Amino acid sequence: MDKFKAFRIYSEGGKTAGRMVEMSVDELSAGNVVIKTAYSSVNYKDALACTGTGGRIIRNFPRIGGIDAAGTVLSSTDSRFKAGDEVICTSYDFGVDHDGGYAQCCRVPADWVVPLPKGMSLYEAATFGVAGYTAGLAMELLELNGMAPGNGKVLVNGATGGVATLAIGMLAKLGYSVVAVTGKDDEHGFLGKLGAQEVLSRHKLELGSRPLEKPLWAAAFDSVGGEQLSWLTRTVQPNGLIASFGNAGGIEFKSTVLPFILRGVRLIGVNTGDTPMPLRRKVWGRLASDLKPRHLADIAHSISLDDLPGYFERMLKGQIKGRAVVKL
Ligand SMILES: NC(=O)c1ccc[n+]([C@@H]2O[C@H](COP(=O)([O-])OP(=O)(O)OC[C@H]3O[C@@H](n4cnc5c(N)ncnc54)[C@H](OP(=O)(O)O)[C@@H]3O)[C@@H](O)[C@H]2O)c1
């Protein structure tokens, strides 16, 4: 591949912003697998990183953004991969300290590459991306801690977001009773279609203030942090579980030790950045099979590289729903 299009992020005059450029493979971050990118996606972290919002996620510029890529191997000097293999690359330093998926070609270390699992297309892989992987890893970790459909309701907040829409679809497919919390009052029907049995308005939540409130949820998937995470610690039922992976509503939360020592509540951190490869492959395998949401196609919509700046802006304002797949 001679020249290809890339959305490269620059830091100029104290401002971080991306623009379309033409590049060649030699200019990309080093790696032993060269991939023709078919699709990338937009995660909340991409919106932060590519706009310089909320601190510097990208430390060295210029940098191609995009923490997800799905595509076909063009060449590999690592024996695990060969030209023509369909693969996924997400997480690690991809799109942050290493050129990422917002380009028609990427070059990465073989240790970051996951073979596309059977039963998943490249478009589906990008629909999942880090968001789907996060939801899948949270499912896996909560199940390891005893989450099961018969234990009670599972709450998913930030419900129209990427991780949350996919989590709702996964939970519904496995027979969980899902309660969604959203700030978008006109999207209750969409969330019901994905599999939420109840939808609560974020604006009407009664958060309470006692250290222990009425126990309501067997488990929770938290994209939001802040006040909502505090509320979850107070309202999860005895021996209940909270997967904490997001900060869309803030990084601080207040609680007391009472949910933990009187109810045995377990707060489980989910970090997708550097999961060991065997677990990573296991989760991707599940995303292609038992965890694949029935309405995956309804969660995804396609955009182009040119659409990225406007899309980041809307995402940071909490105005998008589902997953944007970037068609390369
Ligand atoms: N730990 C990890 O490894 C990992 C991996 C991936 C993502 N994450 C994090 O997980 C979170 C979700 O990621 P995403 O890609 O799904 O983002 P997203 O698509 O932007 O979804 C976030 C959702 O949170 C809700 N929200 C936005 N602002 C809010 C506010 N101020 N207060 C309460 N709710 C708010 C919105 O949903 P409603 O309008 O429906 O309420 C929004 O759609 C992000 O914080 C992201 O950084 C972490």
Side-chain angles (χ1 to χ4, degrees), residues 42-45 48 130-131 134 157-164 181-184 191 202 223-224 228 244-249 270-273 315 318 320 322-323:
V42 186
N43 297 279
Y44 193 74
K45 187 175 173 184
L48 294 173
V130 166
T134 306
N157 64 16
T160 63
V163 182
V181 175
T182 180
K184 298 186 186 76
L191 294 168
R202 185 207 306 162
S223 281
V224 175
Q228 283 202 36
S244 165
F245 49 82
N247 61 352
V270 181
N271 172 24
T272 55
M315 183 168 233
I320 57 96
R323 295 275 298 151

Side-chain angles (χ1 to χ4, degrees), residues 190-210:
F190 169 66
L191 294 168
K193 186 177 173 193
L194 297 187
Q197 291 192 348
E198 284 174 60
V199 183
L200 306 178
S201 166
R202 185 207 306 162
H203 311 296
K204 293 181 192 152
L205 281 184
E206 288 178 13
L207 300 178
S209 59
R210 291 178 299 175

